[in-house]
Amino acid sequence: MNKIELKSLLTDQALGTPAGRIVRTLSERGSLSAAQLARLTGLAKSTVSTALSELRRADMVVEVGSDSGGSVGRPATALTLNPRAGTCIGVLVGQTEIQVIVADVSHTVLSDHSVSLEPDYPPEQAQDIVRQMIAEAYAGQWHSPAGLLGVGIALGGPVNPINGQVLRGGLPRWVGRDVRAMFGPMFDAPLFFDNESNCAAIAEMTWGAAQGHDDFIVLTLDLGVGGAIVSGGKVMRGIAGGAGEFGHVVIDPDGPLCRCGNRGCLEVYANFRPYLAEAEERFGEPLRVNDVVRRALDGDAVCGALIARAGEAGGRGLGLIGSVFNPSLVVIGGRLAMAGDMLMSPLSQSFERYSLIKREDVPEEARTVLKRSHFSENGACMGAVGLVLRHRRHETAMHLN
Ligand SMILES: [Zn+2]
């Protein structure tokens, strides 16, 4: 099998050919039957069949057993890209952590590691850590970086899709730096990048709570407040990469200073930092968001109450989002979502209170559904892998070496 060939079949030019469309669809979706491929590519079944025969002969596409799924009758054979055809790297450059996931093109995660960092760590440190973590990820397994199809970077802040420049709002010491210049030269493969909320949206769409949904909103509740807008199966990025930054909608211009430089942003009221500080004071020890969530789930009333208050505040923000988009689905992400109903219940009550359109006003099918993120902690980084698997030059920021 020819790795160059897979790379070439993932290019936009190849989308004009049946093989290119099939390879791209399999890359995006993982495993599919021939019938699903015909439906998703819009190609005739006979065309799909001919192209699949060629792709299987070239060892580019393989069968992955039967996709029984409890269905009656002869199960359709699921097809996937040959796992040996190549790997993708997803990197999360978060506010207090760096995570690296290596996956193959059949969507199997080969390695997943993360390190915690002090807030406001310098970009140079991130470069060193990413380089080292990737080398470690490939050590000791038969996959080699030679088959790398692309690298996706999920950034803990907004980034300009045109010039790769990090914008204010997430990583203060990174503002003005060019993601492409920082990470591009490290790899002999295309680099894709987006902010972590948009990446989380891609992960939810590909593997999570938004599978099968082409239109939805993501709201992330964590130390920061983030969001993403997906419309027609595409992540809306905005002209400068600032779309979906719900955390920085100004609620009160005279409010407290936000880390973005404005005052009274939604994030100031709905982020978890003050609640975390309250918990630390109460317990007299340094805590992470996960610790508070775990204690709440273990029955600690103080931590439970803090999460409920954060949910109430988040619901106010969600009311605002509801009035702008009236979405069919909102996926709630961030580490607070791991608290399950302890967060979701006060959040939905608060959302209902601050929404223009009340549940009782509309039939069941016209009500906004709130779902908890499928991913606990690695959603954004998996989304970075998804950036590579989707390979969409026009949807996401991309830099070709
Ligand atoms: Zn702000």
Side-chain angles (χ1 to χ4, degrees), residues 282-364:
R282 181 78 176 238
F283 292 101
E285 58 180 313
L287 294 169
R288 295 163 54 105
V289 178
N290 292 2
D291 301 325
V292 179
V293 170
R294 199 185 58 248
R295 285 178 193 207
L297 290 171
D298 287 346
D300 184 282
V302 172
C303 291
L306 291 172
I307 287 170
R309 279 164 57 200
E312 205 277 334
R316 266 179 271 158
L318 200 52
L320 185 152
I321 292 164
S323 298
V324 176
F325 295 102
N326 186 213
S328 56
L329 172 68
V330 179
V331 178
I332 306 296
R335 283 173 293 182
L336 286 189
M338 288 192 284
D341 283 347
M342 299 184 89
L343 175 83
M344 295 302 283
S345 174
L347 180 80
S348 20
Q349 282 168 26
S350 169
F351 170 56
E352 174 71 4
R353 192 176 318 132
Y354 295 103
S355 285
L356 170 67
I357 297 174
K358 308 293 181 191
R359 290 177 68 81
E360 61 182 32
D361 294 343
V362 292
E364 176 92 37

Coordinates of all heavy atoms in Angstrom, one line a residue, residues 282-364:
R282 N -12.6 26.5 52.0 CA -13.4 25.6 52.9 C -12.6 24.4 53.3 O -12.6 24.0 54.5 CB -14.7 25.2 52.1 CG -15.6 24.3 52.9 CD -16.4 25.2 53.9 NE -17.4 24.3 54.5 CZ -18.7 24.6 54.5 NH1 -19.2 25.6 53.9 NH2 -19.5 23.8 55.2
F283 N -11.9 23.8 52.4 CA -11.2 22.5 52.7 C -9.7 22.8 53.1 O -9.0 21.9 53.5 CB -11.2 21.6 51.5 CG -12.6 21.0 51.3 CD1 -13.4 21.5 50.2 CD2 -13.1 20.0 52.1 CE1 -14.7 21.0 50.0 CE2 -14.4 19.5 51.8 CZ -15.2 20.0 50.8
G284 N -9.3 24.0 52.9 CA -7.9 24.4 53.3 C -6.8 23.7 52.6 O -5.8 23.3 53.1
E285 N -7.1 23.4 51.3 CA -6.0 22.7 50.5 C -6.3 23.1 49.0 O -7.4 23.4 48.6 CB -6.1 21.2 50.6 CG -7.4 20.6 50.3 CD -7.5 19.1 50.4 OE1 -6.5 18.4 50.0 OE2 -8.5 18.6 51.0
P286 N -5.2 23.0 48.2 CA -5.4 23.4 46.8 C -6.2 22.3 46.1 O -6.0 21.1 46.4 CB -4.0 23.4 46.2 CG -3.1 22.8 47.2 CD -3.8 22.8 48.5
L287 N -7.2 22.7 45.3 CA -8.0 21.7 44.6 C -8.1 22.0 43.1 O -7.9 23.1 42.7 CB -9.5 21.8 45.2 CG -9.7 21.4 46.6 CD1 -11.1 21.8 47.1 CD2 -9.5 19.9 46.8
R288 N -8.4 21.0 42.3 CA -8.7 21.2 40.9 C -10.1 21.0 40.6 O -10.9 20.5 41.5 CB -7.9 20.1 40.1 CG -6.4 20.3 40.2 CD -5.7 19.0 39.8 NE -6.1 18.6 38.4 CZ -5.3 18.8 37.4 NH1 -4.1 19.3 37.5 NH2 -5.8 18.4 36.2
V289 N -10.6 21.4 39.5 CA -12.0 21.2 39.1 C -12.5 19.8 39.3 O -13.5 19.5 39.9 CB -12.3 21.7 37.7 CG1 -13.8 21.5 37.3 CG2 -11.9 23.1 37.5
N290 N -11.6 18.9 38.9 CA -12.0 17.4 39.0 C -12.2 17.0 40.4 O -13.0 16.2 40.7 CB -10.8 16.6 38.5 CG -10.7 16.7 37.0 OD1 -11.4 17.5 36.4 ND2 -9.7 16.0 36.4
D291 N -11.4 17.6 41.4 CA -11.5 17.2 42.8 C -12.9 17.6 43.3 O -13.5 16.9 44.0 CB -10.4 17.9 43.6 CG -9.0 17.5 43.1 OD1 -8.8 16.4 42.7 OD2 -8.1 18.4 43.2
V292 N -13.3 18.8 42.9 CA -14.6 19.3 43.4 C -15.7 18.4 42.8 O -16.6 18.1 43.6 CB -14.8 20.8 43.0 CG1 -16.1 21.3 43.5 CG2 -13.7 21.7 43.6
V293 N -15.6 18.1 41.6 CA -16.6 17.3 40.9 C -16.7 15.9 41.6 O -17.7 15.4 41.9 CB -16.3 17.1 39.4 CG1 -17.2 16.1 38.8 CG2 -16.5 18.5 38.7
R294 N -15.5 15.3 41.8 CA -15.5 14.0 42.4 C -16.0 14.0 43.8 O -16.8 13.2 44.2 CB -14.0 13.5 42.5 CG -13.9 12.0 42.7 CD -12.5 11.4 42.8 NE -11.9 12.1 44.0 CZ -10.8 12.9 43.9 NH1 -10.3 13.2 42.7 NH2 -10.3 13.4 45.0
R295 N -15.7 15.1 44.6 CA -16.2 15.2 46.0 C -17.8 15.3 45.9 O -18.5 14.8 46.8 CB -15.6 16.3 46.7 CG -14.2 16.0 47.1 CD -13.5 17.1 47.8 NE -12.1 16.8 47.9 CZ -11.3 17.3 48.9 NH1 -11.7 18.1 49.8 NH2 -10.0 17.0 48.9
A296 N -18.2 16.1 45.0 CA -19.7 16.3 44.9 C -20.4 15.0 44.5 O -21.4 14.6 45.1 CB -20.0 17.3 43.8
L297 N -19.8 14.2 43.6 CA -20.3 12.9 43.2 C -20.3 11.9 44.4 O -21.1 11.1 44.5 CB -19.6 12.4 42.0 CG -19.9 13.1 40.7 CD1 -19.0 12.6 39.6 CD2 -21.4 13.0 40.3
D298 N -19.3 12.1 45.3 CA -19.2 11.2 46.5 C -20.1 11.7 47.6 O -20.1 11.1 48.7 CB -17.7 11.2 47.0 CG -16.8 10.5 46.1 OD1 -17.3 9.7 45.2 OD2 -15.6 10.6 46.2
G299 N -20.9 12.7 47.3 CA -21.9 13.1 48.3 C -21.6 14.3 49.1 O -22.3 14.7 50.1
D300 N -20.5 15.0 48.8 CA -20.1 16.2 49.6 C -21.1 17.3 49.3 O -21.2 17.8 48.1 CB -18.7 16.6 49.3 CG -18.3 17.8 50.2 OD1 -18.6 18.9 49.9 OD2 -17.6 17.6 51.2
A301 N -21.8 17.8 50.3 CA -22.9 18.8 50.1 C -22.3 20.2 49.6 O -22.9 20.9 48.8 CB -23.7 19.0 51.3
V302 N -21.1 20.5 50.2 CA -20.5 21.8 49.9 C -20.2 21.9 48.4 O -20.5 22.8 47.7 CB -19.3 22.1 50.7 CG1 -18.6 23.3 50.3 CG2 -19.7 22.2 52.2
C303 N -19.5 20.8 47.9 CA -19.1 20.8 46.5 C -20.3 20.7 45.6 O -20.3 21.3 44.6 CB -18.1 19.6 46.3 SG -16.5 19.8 47.1
G304 N -21.3 19.9 46.0 CA -22.5 19.8 45.3 C -23.2 21.2 45.1 O -23.6 21.5 44.0
A305 N -23.2 21.9 46.2 CA -23.9 23.3 46.1 C -23.1 24.2 45.2 O -23.7 25.0 44.5 CB -24.0 23.8 47.5
L306 N -21.8 24.1 45.2 CA -20.9 25.0 44.4 C -21.2 24.7 42.9 O -21.3 25.6 42.1 CB -19.5 24.8 44.7 CG -19.0 25.3 46.0 CD1 -17.5 24.9 46.3 CD2 -19.1 26.8 46.1
I307 N -21.3 23.4 42.6 CA -21.6 23.0 41.2 C -23.0 23.4 40.8 O -23.2 23.9 39.7 CB -21.4 21.5 41.0 CG1 -19.9 21.2 41.1 CG2 -22.0 21.0 39.7 CD1 -19.5 19.8 41.1
A308 N -23.9 23.3 41.7 CA -25.3 23.8 41.4 C -25.3 25.3 41.1 O -26.0 25.7 40.2 CB -26.2 23.4 42.6
R309 N -24.6 26.0 41.9 CA -24.5 27.5 41.7 C -23.9 27.8 40.3 O -24.3 28.7 39.6 CB -23.8 28.2 42.8 CG -24.7 28.4 44.0 CD -23.9 28.7 45.3 NE -23.0 29.9 45.1 CZ -21.9 30.1 45.9 NH1 -21.6 29.2 46.8 NH2 -21.2 31.2 45.7
A310 N -22.8 27.1 40.0 CA -22.2 27.3 38.7 C -23.2 26.9 37.6 O -23.2 27.6 36.5 CB -20.9 26.4 38.6
G311 N -24.0 25.9 37.8 CA -25.0 25.5 36.8 C -26.0 26.6 36.6 O -26.4 26.9 35.5
E312 N -26.4 27.1 37.7 CA -27.4 28.2 37.7 C -26.9 29.4 36.8 O -27.6 29.9 36.0 CB -27.8 28.6 39.1 CG -29.1 29.2 39.3 CD -29.2 30.7 38.9 OE1 -28.1 31.4 39.0 OE2 -30.3 31.2 38.5
A313 N -25.6 29.7 37.1 CA -25.0 30.9 36.4 C -24.8 30.5 34.9 O -25.1 31.3 34.0 CB -23.6 31.2 37.0
G314 N -24.5 29.3 34.6 CA -24.3 28.8 33.2 C -25.6 28.9 32.5 O -25.7 29.2 31.3
G315 N -26.7 28.6 33.2 CA -28.0 28.6 32.6 C -28.4 30.0 32.1 O -29.2 30.1 31.1
R316 N -28.0 31.0 32.9 CA -28.3 32.4 32.5 C -27.6 32.7 31.1 O -28.2 33.2 30.3 CB -27.8 33.3 33.5 CG -28.8 33.7 34.6 CD -28.2 34.6 35.6 NE -27.6 33.9 36.7 CZ -26.7 34.3 37.5 NH1 -26.2 35.5 37.4 NH2 -26.2 33.6 38.5
G317 N -26.4 32.2 31.0 CA -25.7 32.4 29.7 C -26.4 31.6 28.6 O -26.5 32.1 27.5
L318 N -26.8 30.4 29.0 CA -27.5 29.6 28.0 C -28.8 30.2 27.5 O -29.2 30.1 26.4 CB -27.7 28.2 28.6 CG -27.9 27.0 27.7 CD1 -26.8 27.0 26.6 CD2 -28.0 25.7 28.4
G319 N -29.4 30.9 28.4 CA -30.7 31.6 28.1 C -30.4 32.6 27.0 O -31.1 32.8 26.0
L320 N -29.2 33.3 27.1 CA -28.8 34.3 26.1 C -28.5 33.6 24.8 O -29.0 34.1 23.7 CB -27.6 35.0 26.7 CG -26.9 36.1 25.9 CD1 -26.2 37.0 26.9 CD2 -25.9 35.6 24.9
I321 N -27.8 32.5 24.9 CA -27.5 31.7 23.6 C -28.8 31.2 23.0 O -29.0 31.3 21.8 CB -26.6 30.5 24.0 CG1 -25.2 31.0 24.5 CG2 -26.5 29.6 22.8 CD1 -24.4 30.0 25.2
G322 N -29.8 30.8 23.8 CA -31.0 30.3 23.3 C -31.8 31.4 22.5 O -32.4 31.2 21.5
S323 N -31.7 32.6 23.0 CA -32.4 33.7 22.4 C -31.7 34.1 21.1 O -32.4 34.6 20.2 CB -32.4 35.0 23.3 OG -33.2 34.6 24.5
V324 N -30.5 33.8 20.9 CA -29.8 34.2 19.7 C -30.0 33.0 18.6 O -30.3 33.3 17.5 CB -28.2 34.4 19.9 CG1 -27.5 34.6 18.6 CG2 -28.0 35.5 20.8
F325 N -29.9 31.8 19.1 CA -29.9 30.7 18.1 C -31.1 29.8 18.2 O -31.4 29.1 17.2 CB -28.7 29.7 18.4 CG -27.4 30.4 18.1 CD1 -26.6 30.9 19.2 CD2 -26.9 30.6 16.8 CE1 -25.4 31.5 19.0 CE2 -25.7 31.2 16.6 CZ -24.9 31.6 17.7
N326 N -31.8 29.8 19.3 CA -33.0 28.8 19.4 C -32.5 27.4 18.9 O -33.2 26.9 18.0 CB -34.2 29.4 18.7 CG -35.4 28.5 19.0 OD1 -36.3 28.3 18.1 ND2 -35.5 27.9 20.1
P327 N -31.5 26.9 19.4 CA -30.9 25.7 18.9 C -31.7 24.4 19.2 O -32.5 24.4 20.2 CB -29.5 25.6 19.5 CG -29.7 26.2 20.9 CD -30.8 27.3 20.7
S328 N -31.6 23.4 18.3 CA -32.3 22.1 18.6 C -31.5 21.3 19.7 O -32.1 20.6 20.5 CB -32.4 21.3 17.3 OG -31.1 21.1 16.8
L329 N -30.2 21.5 19.7 CA -29.4 20.7 20.6 C -28.3 21.6 21.2 O -27.6 22.4 20.4 CB -28.7 19.5 19.9 CG -27.7 18.7 20.7 CD1 -28.3 18.0 21.8 CD2 -27.0 17.8 19.7
V330 N -28.1 21.5 22.5 CA -26.9 22.2 23.1 C -26.1 21.1 23.9 O -26.7 20.4 24.7 CB -27.3 23.3 24.1 CG1 -26.0 23.9 24.8 CG2 -28.1 24.4 23.5
V331 N -24.9 21.0 23.6 CA -24.0 20.0 24.3 C -23.2 20.8 25.3 O -22.6 21.7 25.0 CB -23.1 19.3 23.3 CG1 -22.2 18.3 24.0 CG2 -23.8 18.5 22.2
I332 N -23.4 20.3 26.6 CA -22.7 21.0 27.6 C -21.3 20.3 27.9 O -21.3 19.1 28.3 CB -23.5 21.0 29.0 CG1 -24.9 21.6 28.7 CG2 -22.8 21.7 30.1 CD1 -24.9 23.1 28.3
G333 N -20.2 21.0 27.7 CA -18.9 20.4 27.9 C -18.2 21.0 29.0 O -18.7 21.8 29.8
G334 N -16.9 20.7 29.1 CA -16.1 21.2 30.2 C -16.1 20.2 31.3 O -16.9 19.3 31.4
R335 N -15.2 20.4 32.2 CA -15.1 19.4 33.3 C -16.3 19.4 34.2 O -16.6 18.4 34.9 CB -13.8 19.6 34.1 CG -12.6 19.1 33.4 CD -11.3 19.4 34.1 NE -11.0 20.9 34.0 CZ -10.0 21.5 34.6 NH1 -9.0 20.7 35.1 NH2 -9.8 22.8 34.5
L336 N -17.0 20.5 34.3 CA -18.2 20.5 35.2 C -19.2 19.6 34.7 O -20.0 19.1 35.5 CB -18.8 21.9 35.3 CG -18.0 23.0 36.1 CD1 -18.8 24.2 36.2 CD2 -17.7 22.5 37.5
A337 N -19.2 19.3 33.4 CA -20.3 18.4 32.9 C -20.1 17.0 33.4 O -21.1 16.2 33.5 CB -20.1 18.3 31.3
M338 N -18.9 16.7 34.0 CA -18.7 15.3 34.6 C -19.6 15.2 35.8 O -19.8 14.0 36.3 CB -17.3 15.1 34.9 CG -16.4 14.9 33.7 SD -14.7 14.4 34.2 CE -14.0 15.9 34.8
A339 N -20.1 16.3 36.4 CA -21.0 16.2 37.5 C -22.4 15.7 37.2 O -23.2 15.5 38.1 CB -21.0 17.5 38.2
G340 N -22.6 15.5 35.9 CA -23.9 14.9 35.5 C -25.1 15.8 35.9 O -25.1 17.0 35.8
D341 N -26.1 15.1 36.5 CA -27.4 15.8 36.9 C -27.1 16.9 37.9 O -27.9 17.9 38.0 CB -28.4 14.8 37.4 CG -29.0 14.0 36.3 OD1 -28.9 14.5 35.1 OD2 -29.7 13.0 36.6
M342 N -26.1 16.8 38.7 CA -25.8 17.8 39.7 C -25.6 19.2 39.0 O -25.8 20.2 39.6 CB -24.6 17.5 40.5 CG -24.8 16.2 41.3 SD -23.4 15.8 42.3 CE -23.9 16.7 43.8
L343 N -25.1 19.1 37.8 CA -24.9 20.4 37.0 C -26.1 20.6 36.1 O -26.6 21.7 36.0 CB -23.6 20.3 36.2 CG -23.5 21.5 35.2 CD1 -22.8 22.7 36.0 CD2 -22.7 21.2 34.0
M344 N -26.5 19.5 35.4 CA -27.5 19.6 34.3 C -28.8 20.1 34.8 O -29.5 20.8 34.2 CB -27.6 18.3 33.6 CG -26.3 17.9 32.8 SD -25.8 19.1 31.6 CE -26.9 18.8 30.3
S345 N -29.2 19.6 36.0 CA -30.5 20.0 36.5 C -30.7 21.5 36.8 O -31.6 22.1 36.3 CB -30.8 19.0 37.7 OG -31.8 19.2 38.3
P346 N -29.8 22.0 37.7 CA -29.9 23.5 37.9 C -29.7 24.3 36.6 O -30.3 25.4 36.4 CB -28.8 23.8 38.9 CG -27.9 22.6 39.0 CD -28.7 21.4 38.5
L347 N -28.8 23.8 35.7 CA -28.6 24.4 34.5 C -29.8 24.5 33.6 O -30.2 25.6 33.1 CB -27.4 23.7 33.7 CG -27.0 24.2 32.4 CD1 -26.0 25.4 32.6 CD2 -26.3 23.2 31.5
S348 N -30.5 23.4 33.5 CA -31.7 23.4 32.6 C -32.8 24.2 33.3 O -33.6 24.9 32.5 CB -32.2 22.0 32.2 OG -31.8 21.1 33.0
Q349 N -32.9 24.2 34.6 CA -33.9 25.1 35.2 C -33.7 26.5 35.0 O -34.5 27.3 34.7 CB -34.0 24.8 36.7 CG -34.7 23.5 37.1 CD -34.5 23.1 38.6 OE1 -34.2 24.0 39.4 NE2 -34.5 21.9 38.9
S350 N -32.4 26.9 35.1 CA -32.0 28.3 34.9 C -32.2 28.7 33.4 O -32.6 29.8 33.1 CB -30.5 28.4 35.4 OG -30.0 29.6 35.0
F351 N -31.8 27.8 32.5 CA -32.0 28.0 31.1 C -33.5 28.3 30.8 O -33.8 29.2 30.1 CB -31.5 26.8 30.3 CG -31.8 26.8 28.9 CD1 -31.4 27.9 28.1 CD2 -32.5 25.8 28.3 CE1 -31.7 27.9 26.7 CE2 -32.8 25.8 26.9 CZ -32.4 26.8 26.1
E352 N -34.3 27.5 31.4 CA -35.8 27.6 31.1 C -36.2 29.0 31.7 O -37.0 29.7 31.0 CB -36.5 26.5 31.8 CG -38.0 26.6 31.8 CD -38.6 26.3 30.5 OE1 -37.9 26.0 29.5 OE2 -39.9 26.5 30.3
R353 N -35.7 29.4 32.8 CA -36.1 30.7 33.4 C -35.7 31.8 32.5 O -36.5 32.8 32.4 CB -35.5 30.8 34.8 CG -36.1 31.9 35.6 CD -35.5 31.9 37.0 NE -35.4 30.6 37.6 CZ -34.2 30.1 38.2 NH1 -33.2 30.9 38.3 NH2 -34.2 28.9 38.6
Y354 N -34.5 31.8 32.0 CA -34.0 32.9 31.2 C -34.2 32.8 29.7 O -33.8 33.6 28.9 CB -32.5 33.1 31.5 CG -32.3 33.5 33.0 CD1 -31.9 32.5 33.9 CD2 -32.6 34.8 33.4 CE1 -31.7 32.9 35.2 CE2 -32.4 35.1 34.8 CZ -32.0 34.1 35.7 OH -31.8 34.5 37.0
S355 N -34.9 31.8 29.3 CA -35.2 31.6 27.8 C -36.4 32.4 27.4 O -37.4 32.6 28.2 CB -35.5 30.2 27.5 OG -34.3 29.5 27.5
L356 N -36.4 32.9 26.2 CA -37.6 33.6 25.7 C -38.7 32.5 25.4 O -39.9 32.7 25.8 CB -37.2 34.3 24.4 CG -38.4 34.8 23.6 CD1 -39.1 36.0 24.3 CD2 -37.9 35.3 22.2
I357 N -38.3 31.4 24.7 CA -39.3 30.4 24.4 C -39.3 29.4 25.5 O -38.3 28.7 25.7 CB -39.0 29.8 23.0 CG1 -39.1 30.9 21.9 CG2 -39.9 28.6 22.7 CD1 -38.6 30.5 20.6
K358 N -40.4 29.2 26.2 CA -40.6 28.3 27.3 C -41.0 26.9 26.7 O -41.7 26.8 25.7 CB -41.6 28.8 28.3 CG -41.4 30.2 28.8 CD -40.1 30.3 29.6 CE -39.9 31.8 30.1 NZ -38.5 32.0 30.6
R359 N -40.7 25.9 27.5 CA -41.0 24.5 27.1 C -42.5 24.3 26.8 O -42.9 23.7 25.8 CB -40.5 23.5 28.2 CG -39.1 23.4 28.3 CD -38.7 22.5 29.5 NE -39.1 21.1 29.1 CZ -38.4 20.3 28.4 NH1 -37.3 20.7 27.8 NH2 -38.8 19.0 28.2
E360 N -43.3 24.9 27.7 CA -44.7 24.8 27.5 C -45.3 25.5 26.3 O -46.4 25.2 25.8 CB -45.5 25.2 28.8 CG -45.2 26.7 29.0 CD -45.9 27.2 30.3 OE1 -46.0 26.5 31.3 OE2 -46.3 28.4 30.3
D361 N -44.5 26.4 25.7 CA -45.0 27.1 24.6 C -45.0 26.3 23.3 O -45.7 26.7 22.3 CB -44.1 28.4 24.3 CG -44.1 29.4 25.4 OD1 -45.1 29.3 26.2 OD2 -43.2 30.3 25.5
V362 N -44.1 25.3 23.3 CA -43.9 24.6 22.0 C -44.1 23.1 22.1 O -43.9 22.6 23.3 CB -42.5 24.9 21.4 CG1 -42.4 26.3 21.0 CG2 -41.4 24.5 22.5
P363 N -44.4 22.4 21.0 CA -44.4 20.9 21.1 C -43.1 20.3 21.4 O -42.0 21.0 21.2 CB -44.9 20.5 19.7 CG -44.6 21.6 18.8 CD -44.7 22.9 19.7
E364 N -43.1 19.1 21.9 CA -41.9 18.4 22.3 C -40.8 18.5 21.3 O -39.6 18.8 21.6 CB -42.3 16.9 22.4 CG -41.1 15.9 22.8 CD -41.0 15.7 24.3 OE1 -42.0 15.7 25.0 OE2 -39.8 15.6 24.7

